[in-house]
Amino acid sequence: MNTPNWNRIVIKVGSALIAPNRDGCSSQYLLSIANFIVRCRMSGIQVVLVSSGSVAAGAHLFEQVNDSSITIKKAMASAGQQEMMATWDRLFDFSTAQVLLTHADLRNRDRYISVRDTLDTLLENDILPVVNENDTVTTDKLKVGDNDNLSAMVATATQADALIICSDIDGLYTANPHLDKSARLISDVIEINSDIYAMAGGATSDVGTGGMKTKIQAAEKATSHGIQTFIVDGFNEQSFNQLLEGNNPGTLFHPHPDPMLEPMHWLRHTTLAQGELVVADEFSIDEDLTSDVLTSNDIIDVNGDFSAGDVVMLRKQNGEKVAKVTTNYSSCLLSFVATQDDEQINRTLDDTIDPILSEKYIAKME
């Protein structure tokens, strides 16, 4: 038996584990998870807990109400968040800290760094961060949408060694094991490709919002930054015993051998493109994309409404995505430039101090 060589981990716990019957929080499945966290900390492993469950925890307080309404779900999250935190607090004899995030906190570089610094400071002071999406205030434009992907973003921000995603089955199967008796567990995934995604079905729980697809998306984000990622059965206490013994109780997604640098990973996997810059199909870039690769003459069309400093997608006319980039100019100005044939106008823009693309954040798409 080998103790895992982790300094810092992120563990994601879903709604079905926290409020399995949607009648408030239950410690039924949380005791073994809490024990795992305690044992990790006793071994010197820092832990960040990403916990869903606020909506499910607050649902029982809103009887005879259509809980498909976004407004009702926000109210449920507001009421349930306190109960969820109180439940975790009762299971630990050390301090915890609530960290509520929206996607806007992560896709803005300054706020992302602020979140990272806060989490680091909490961990350095032996405080357990409990992270959740801020469902009470988030909107479609601001939300991550599921805590699987949020946990991968948090794992990247905190430079974790491992991400552990608790599921209602013990990993990725070749087919849905609830429907196909011949489905077999895949213990190791070296590369996440279209075949792996094809094996992902929908959510098997009627409590949570994520399914196997979002877990694979999270694994792709984490492993591309060099973080080993596990999908394990969170309902089975033996899953956590196996992890602490250095064994793989579910599916292990192996980290990429050549991890992306953190700023490029943030741009590629955390930000959302606010628009597009369309170039000709013949447009080509070198392996090392630089800020001066794009000139005003290259821009054929501009899609979306964005401001200077926003992240946009650089795309060819045939639909091929070239790179995620940050732009030094707004969509209004670039749309004007794209429709001009006046060489003097284009030359004036290209000769300005700032190139069209910001040199700080450019991530080539694979």
Side-chain angles (χ1 to χ4, degrees):
M1 300 298 183
N2 298 312
T3 302
N5 186 26
W6 299 329
N7 293 314
R8 181 178 291 181
I9 66 170
V10 173
I11 179 169
K12 183 266 177 179
V13 179
S15 300
L17 288 162
I18 292 171
N21 301 313
R22 292 179 68 90
D23 59 354
C25 292
S26 169
S27 61
Q28 179 180 0
Y29 302 114
L30 301 187
L31 287 171
S32 58
I33 297 174
N35 183 48
F36 170 73
I37 293 173
V38 170
R39 291 164 69 189
C40 283
R41 285 168 55 97
M42 290 177 64
S43 299
I45 302 170
Q46 296 178 328
V47 182
V48 178
L49 171 61
V50 176
S51 177
S52 304
S54 59
V55 174
H60 69 289
L61 302 174
F62 297 80
E63 296 180 0
Q64 299 179 346
V65 173
N66 177 16
D67 63 6
S68 64
S69 163
I70 296 298
T71 302
I72 292 299
K73 285 186 176 180
K74 289 177 181 291
M76 288 177 177
S78 180
Q81 186 68 31
Q82 182 174 352
E83 182 177 347
M84 185 192 75
M85 284 300 302
T87 299
W88 284 118
D89 275 336
R90 285 196 296 270
L91 297 175
F92 300 120
D93 59 358
F94 46 80
S95 297
T96 64
Q98 182 183 53
V99 182
L100 294 174
L101 301 175
T102 68
H103 199 276
D105 300 315
L106 297 169
R107 70 188 187 209
N108 177 280
R109 186 63 183 173
D110 290 338
R111 290 162 71 177
Y112 176 89
I113 293 173
S114 177
V115 169
R116 182 186 66 192
D117 291 345
T118 298
L119 291 172
D120 284 344
T121 303
L122 290 170
L123 292 170
E124 289 166 2
N125 287 273
D126 293 326
I127 299 171
L128 174 70
V130 182
V131 181
N132 192 13
E133 185 156 23
N134 194 352
D135 295 315
T136 301
V137 301
T138 193
T139 64
D140 286 341
K141 291 184 178 181
L142 298 179
K143 68 182 180 181
V144 176
D146 65 272
N147 275 357
D148 293 327
N149 278 286
L150 178 63
S151 67
M153 296 176 189
V154 170
T156 301
T158 57
Q159 301 291 308
D161 301 299
L163 169 62
I164 301 165
I165 301 176
C166 297
S167 183
D168 55 357
I169 56 175
D170 50 353
L172 174 66
Y173 280 77
T174 54
N176 189 333
H178 297 283
L179 304 175
D180 187 347
K181 292 183 179 180
S182 66
R184 61 180 180 82
L185 176 68
I186 299 176
S187 298
D188 293 274
V189 175
I190 305 300
E191 179 186 4
I192 299 175
N193 51 33
S194 58
D195 292 335
I196 296 298
Y197 272 105
M199 298 175 190
T204 56
S205 167
D206 61 356
V207 179
T209 58
M212 189 56 66
K213 181 179 179 180
T214 61
K215 291 171 175 57
I216 295 174
Q217 289 172 343
E220 184 173 21
K221 287 181 173 67
T223 55
S224 67
H225 193 53
I227 301 170
Q228 62 175 184
T229 303
F230 295 87
I231 298 177
V232 303
D233 184 356
F235 293 86
N236 185 355
E237 182 177 1
Q238 287 305 310
S239 297
F240 307 106
N241 294 333
Q242 289 289 305
L243 284 168
L244 285 171
E245 291 170 354
N247 297 322
N248 172 20
T251 298
L252 167 60
F253 295 84
H254 291 261
H256 196 281
D258 185 21
M260 296 179 68
L261 297 176
E262 188 274 330
M264 297 305 100
H265 188 279
W266 166 79
L267 182 64
R268 174 79 179 273
H269 290 293
T270 302
T271 64
L272 291 178
Q274 303 301 302
E276 292 181 330
L277 298 180
V278 182
V279 297
D281 293 344
E282 297 76 25
F283 181 85
S284 62
I285 59 175
D286 295 330
E287 190 64 27
D288 295 326
L289 181 59
T290 57
S291 60
D292 58 358
V293 68
L294 187 72
T295 68
S296 58
N297 287 326
D298 294 317
I299 301 175
I300 294 175
D301 198 7
V302 178
N303 298 323
D305 183 13
F306 53 85
S307 303
D310 280 347
V311 174
V312 298
M313 183 66 68
L314 189 62
R315 180 178 65 80
K316 293 184 178 181
Q317 284 181 297
N318 63 11
E320 178 187 346
K321 295 177 180 179
V322 179
K324 248 184 179 181
V325 299
T326 46
T327 172
N328 284 322
Y329 298 96
S330 68
S331 55
C332 181
L333 176 58
L334 292 178
S335 294
F336 171 76
V337 170
T339 59
Q340 300 303 308
D341 295 326
D342 191 324
E343 288 296 324
Q344 181 60 42
I345 293 177
N346 291 341
R347 193 177 306 111
T348 299
L349 178 63
D350 292 336
D351 289 343
T352 56
I353 295 175
D354 292 328
I356 293 175
L357 306 182
S358 168
E359 65 180 8
K360 291 179 65 178
Y361 303 119
I362 303 174
K364 186 177 179 180
M365 304 300 287
E366 296 178 356

